[in-house]
Amino acid sequence: MCWVPVDASSDFPLENLPLGVATFPDGHTAVVVRIGDFVLDLPRAGIEPELCRRDSMLNLMASGRLSQVRQRAGELLCGEERADLLQPVDAVECRLPFAVGDFVDFYSSIQHASHIGRLLRPGGNPLQPNWRQLPVGYHGRSGTVVVSGTPVVRPWGLVAQGEGPARLQPTGALDFELEVGFVIGSAGRAIGADEADRHVIGAVLLNDWSARDIQAFEYQPLGPHLAKSFATTISPWVVTLDALAPFLVEPPVQEPLPEPYLRAGRPWGLDLTLEVDLNGTTVTRTGFSTMYWTFAQQLAHLTVNGASVRPGDLFGSGTVSGEEPGGWGCLMEISENGREPLTLDDGSTRTFLADGDTVTLRGWGGREGTPRIGFGQCSGRIDAAPERGW
Ligand code: CA
């Protein structure tokens, strides 16, 4: 069948064929398909060369020809051997696959929202009254969405100082957020909850880096602002909705029943396994199928007021957390907001991230006996805050 050797534990078998953008050793940049530990140079293979001889997937996504491109790539990889069209992935530089248009981030894990609510409002109702009636979210900053491997510089911001006025300082509470991001390939507005697959072309892993001390001082009454706008990291491979289709499942039962525009007749939950490594220690392992609001409901909500989406827009699921320790999707939860340090395999402890730390997200779908469809890695290392003259 496929003439490229693919290890059984690989995220990238023939059934996956995610797309991305890579710069080759000779300096040229092209849209590529990932297979095992290799990338397939699409323009060189004669597959949509006009759309793929570019430093962005945007034109290809907007063309509506993504399915055909994956099909032709699959046929080529199962036909006559053409090793000259492949390059080891370690020899190329993976780029941001497309310049992100509008970026929205949701807050749709009931386990995460309840846990954060208990940390912020002890003794109160952990969920705000609107939470079960709409997918809570905010409009984020697209210009600082970066690809995996890009260093993340510790941000400065205003941090409360007890009873005194807040002061500008480097954050002392830098955190990651384990999320899945959904990529728009086809424009629309007022999108029905069962029409998501006409507009979402695929998914990536997404780390919504967050500065908790800056966030705590700024977030009321309008929500997060500078605490999250300095960097958002995504994985380089857009795993298509076609490849993820085997993992679509019924989401949790919703109580109360949401308004009709948020009701779907098709199963839009996604049965994925997600992990976070901090300096090589696995600190989180959880599942995506427990998300209360699905990406289809998020898209329906995002556009119900007439707001449009365009190819290249991106929306994040919100931090993915399970019920138990070990399944929590950010350090604020893992360390109980800084009160209980986490011990890493090297014996060091963390409440929040230190300079030099590397956070790596991984995610995949697949059970015993079925191909593993994965995202690869979404990784970032923390660089020290720059010196300032203030
Ligand atoms: Ca987030």
Side-chain angles (χ1 to χ4, degrees):
M1 290 292 289
C2 179
W3 47 265
V4 182
V6 180
D7 194 87
S9 64
S10 172
D11 279 351
F12 306 107
L14 188 64
E15 292 82 356
N16 192 347
L17 299 186
L19 291 105
V21 172
T23 297
F24 287 73
D26 69 1
H28 85 278
T29 298
V31 180
V32 298
V33 158
R34 174 86 187 251
I35 175 78
D37 293 331
F38 297 88
V39 299
L40 171 68
D41 185 335
L42 288 173
R44 212 161 156 214
I47 299 175
E48 299 290 350
E50 290 304 311
L51 291 169
C52 295
R53 196 178 290 123
R54 294 170 187 266
D55 62 2
S56 167
M57 283 177 55
L58 191 64
N59 291 71
L60 175 61
M61 296 194 308
S63 73
R65 295 187 213 164
L66 215 56
S67 295
Q68 294 95 308
V69 163
R70 284 181 66 248
Q71 187 179 346
R72 287 180 63 191
E75 288 165 3
L76 189 149
L77 293 166
C78 293
E80 192 182 329
E81 182 167 335
R82 288 292 310 275
D84 59 307
L85 301 177
L86 297 184
Q87 188 75 230
V89 70
D90 290 342
V92 301
E93 182 190 350
C94 293
R95 310 284 292 263
L96 189 68
F98 54 94
V100 175
D102 286 315
F103 171 48
V104 166
D105 199 27
F106 287 96
Y107 187 58
S108 290
S109 158
I110 196 166
Q111 293 82 5
H112 171 72
S114 302
H115 194 190
I116 294 290
R118 285 195 298 273
L119 289 172
L120 295 181
R121 296 180 295 279
N125 187 346
L127 291 180
Q128 302 284 1
N130 60 4
W131 199 92
R132 286 175 180 269
Q133 296 179 53
L134 58 83
V136 170
Y138 69 95
H139 284 273
R141 188 167 192 83
S142 57
T144 40
V145 178
V146 297
V147 73
S148 175
T150 307
V152 172
V153 179
R154 179 178 298 274
W156 291 69
L158 280 182
V159 174
Q161 313 285 325
E163 296 299 306
R167 282 179 44 197
L168 188 72
Q169 62 188 54
T171 177
L174 188 54
D175 202 351
F176 61 81
E177 290 190 344
L178 168 64
E179 304 197 22
V180 176
F182 294 89
V183 180
I184 298 290
S186 171
R189 64 181 74 216
I191 296 168
D194 278 326
E195 298 173 339
D197 55 352
R198 294 188 205 164
H199 300 275
V200 172
I201 56 152
V204 292
L205 297 174
L206 186 151
N207 185 343
D208 179 27
W209 304 97
S210 300
R212 301 302 184 192
D213 44 5
I214 300 170
Q215 184 179 358
F217 187 63
E218 74 175 5
Y219 87 104
Q220 290 178 311
L222 287 184
H225 190 202
L226 304 189
K228 289 166 176 283
S229 64
F230 56 94
T232 306
T233 303
I234 63 172
S235 51
W237 306 108
V238 178
V239 177
T240 65
L241 213 50
D242 288 344
L244 292 171
F247 312 110
L248 288 168
V249 292
E250 286 292 339
V253 174
Q254 296 184 323
E255 175 61 40
L257 193 64
E259 281 285 285
Y261 80 95
L262 287 169
R263 295 178 203 162
R266 297 166 59 189
W268 295 108
L270 265 175
D271 184 14
L272 305 174
T273 303
L274 303 173
E275 285 184 352
V276 183
D277 270 15
L278 172 51
N279 299 344
T281 301
T282 301
V283 297
T284 303
R285 183 174 179 139
T286 190
F288 193 68
S289 64
T290 59
M291 294 296 279
Y292 189 87
W293 296 104
T294 67
F295 70 95
Q297 291 175 309
Q298 291 170 337
L299 183 58
H301 184 66
L302 175 55
T303 60
V304 71
N305 65 346
S308 59
V309 291
R310 298 165 295 181
D313 286 359
L314 175 72
F315 60 98
S317 61
T319 306
V320 185
S321 285
E323 293 281 359
E324 303 292 331
W328 292 338
C330 64
L331 285 172
M332 183 172 172
E333 289 184 81
I334 294 169
S335 74
E336 296 287 322
N337 206 11
R339 288 191 295 272
E340 293 185 16
L342 160 79
T343 303
L344 303 180
D345 289 347
D346 66 3
S348 64
T349 60
R350 296 288 184 286
T351 49
F352 293 101
L353 297 171
D355 293 344
D357 282 354
T358 296
V359 177
T360 302
L361 316 184
R362 288 190 299 269
W364 66 91
R367 294 164 287 277
E368 283 278 308
T370 66
R372 171 175 165 133
I373 304 294
F375 293 86
Q377 295 193 350
C378 176
S379 189
R381 187 198 68 230
I382 306 304
D383 279 358
E387 292 296 327
R388 294 286 201 238
W390 295 301

